[in-house]
Amino acid sequence: MGTAKFYYFPRPSGLSFLRTIDLQESLAELFSDFEVDAQDGVSYTGRRYRTISRLSEVVRIQRDRMKGSEDLALELMTLQSHLAHGFPTMFAADSTKAYATYLRQPVKAGDTVLFVGPNVFRSFVGNQIVAANDYLMIESENPGMKYQMVEVQSITATATASGTITLRQPIQFDFDKGAIGVRYYRFWPTLKRPAAQVNQNMVTNERGFLFSLDVTMIPDYGNYFDFLIPLGNEFGEITEGFFDPDNPPDSPLADSGFCPTDARTGQHLGNFLSEPNLSNSQVQ
């Protein structure tokens, strides 16, 4: 089992470069909850309806009395400054399983085989891959995100090549619209710190020499899905012959790992690296 690690590109700065913070041990505690933004309506006959606009995981990371002590604490304080400005970080509870990819084909309820791409984040975290008996999280896009945790029975995909993942349990929902993410359940590629948390230190100490980490973060799902598949090429919107999932030429799936600009607004999407920005014509 690998150690817990953060990966980020310090910002704001003119030149971004990858920083990795190795906690040098596994976590003491890791909590994961879900926020659901839902509204209920009731008709005159008493029939109830529910609308779900947004789901979001809430991740709390804790490590008491860190082995790295003050040397590790100063690195985490620098990360705290980066997060306070609203920029993202990757986090892997087990760095040897820092794996996230995308579905190459839609799946329906009852399916047990996923057709997936390579590890999209391999240029940041290395050629990491999951194995049999590991757990994965499958997620669709918001609004109304669907998610399911599954267990791997076998895998032919690698960190650098597309393949299949066979599951021990069948898929429970239809994942056939938009971009669909598949990741190791304790790897979050685009975590940001909520504004309500920025006035609290991530690192505290006891008598100046025992340092502890406690931070709560929320995934930026828009950022996450921008990495997985280029805008306009999601399931249900693919023009036949236009998009090759194995070799998307203007996609963050390439080795560069960059996100495109938003083709609707021209705004550069908030990603890890500041350049290059793909033009609108490239992602349309």
Side-chain angles (χ1 to χ4, degrees):
M1 181 176 179
T3 57
K5 289 184 180 181
F6 291 95
Y7 311 82
Y8 74 107
F9 288 81
R11 294 176 67 188
S13 64
L15 178 64
S16 293
F17 56 94
L18 178 64
R19 292 290 299 157
T20 301
I21 301 177
D22 188 346
L23 298 188
Q24 305 170 30
E25 55 191 330
S26 59
L27 295 176
E29 296 180 2
L30 178 63
F31 301 97
S32 176
D33 297 317
F34 277 87
E35 287 183 341
V36 181
D37 187 358
Q39 295 285 337
D40 276 355
V42 183
S43 71
Y44 287 113
T45 64
R47 187 182 297 274
R48 304 187 69 87
Y49 302 88
R50 173 162 297 171
T51 300
I52 295 178
S53 58
R54 181 185 60 84
L55 287 86
S56 181
E57 198 168 5
V58 181
V59 182
R60 186 176 181 183
I61 301 163
Q62 290 182 297
R63 176 67 259 182
D64 297 330
R65 301 183 177 185
M66 298 181 296
K67 183 186 296 185
S69 192
E70 193 165 12
D71 289 338
L72 181 55
L74 67 88
E75 291 191 69
L76 290 168
M77 291 301 289
T78 303
L79 173 62
Q80 177 176 295
S81 176
H82 165 88
L83 293 170
H85 287 86
F87 297 112
T89 182
M90 299 182 190
F91 176 75
D94 180 348
S95 56
T96 65
K97 301 184 186 299
Y99 171 79
T101 186
Y102 57 98
L103 286 187
R104 299 175 61 238
Q105 296 181 21
V107 293
K108 300 284 189 178
D111 290 345
T112 57
V113 178
L114 307 178
F115 294 85
V116 299
N119 188 344
V120 176
F121 299 93
R122 62 190 181 276
S123 58
F124 306 135
V125 301
N127 292 336
Q128 311 299 345
I129 192 69
V130 293
N133 303 319
D134 284 335
Y135 297 102
L136 300 174
M137 180 69 80
I138 306 174
E139 295 162 314
S140 68
E141 294 181 276
N142 275 308
M145 180 181 77
K146 292 177 288 187
Y147 62 89
Q148 182 181 346
M149 190 178 296
V150 295
E151 185 178 0
V152 177
Q153 178 173 301
S154 62
I155 181 169
T156 66
T158 68
T160 59
S162 302
T164 61
I165 299 175
T166 302
L167 308 176
R168 292 194 184 278
Q169 309 87 10
I171 294 294
Q172 305 296 312
F173 310 108
D174 293 342
F175 291 96
D176 57 355
K177 299 294 183 184
I180 308 298
V182 180
R183 61 178 174 84
Y184 180 63
Y185 79 122
R186 288 189 168 182
F187 173 54
W188 293 272
T190 54
L191 289 176
K192 291 185 175 180
R193 203 171 183 207
Q197 299 283 326
V198 297
N199 288 321
Q200 301 175 21
N201 276 342
M202 289 170 43
V203 178
T204 57
N205 72 82
E206 302 172 40
R207 299 187 299 278
F209 61 89
L210 294 174
F211 294 84
S212 299
L213 169 68
D214 186 351
V215 60
T216 299
M217 291 189 280
I218 297 175
D220 184 329
Y221 289 104
N223 199 341
Y224 174 47
F225 286 108
D226 290 335
F227 270 97
L228 295 182
I229 196 164
L231 185 69
N233 292 305
E234 301 87 346
F235 292 140
E237 301 178 14
I238 298 175
T239 303
E240 185 176 357
F242 174 73
F243 179 59
D244 176 5
D246 286 327
N247 187 30
D250 301 312
S251 160
L253 302 178
D255 288 340
S256 64
F258 297 111
C259 294
T261 55
D262 189 330
R264 295 161 295 191
T265 66
Q267 180 181 2
H268 179 55
L269 299 167
N271 58 8
F272 289 99
L273 299 176
S274 57
E275 60 180 8
N277 291 342
L278 303 181
S279 66
N280 294 342
S281 61
Q282 289 177 298
V283 295
Q284 287 178 340

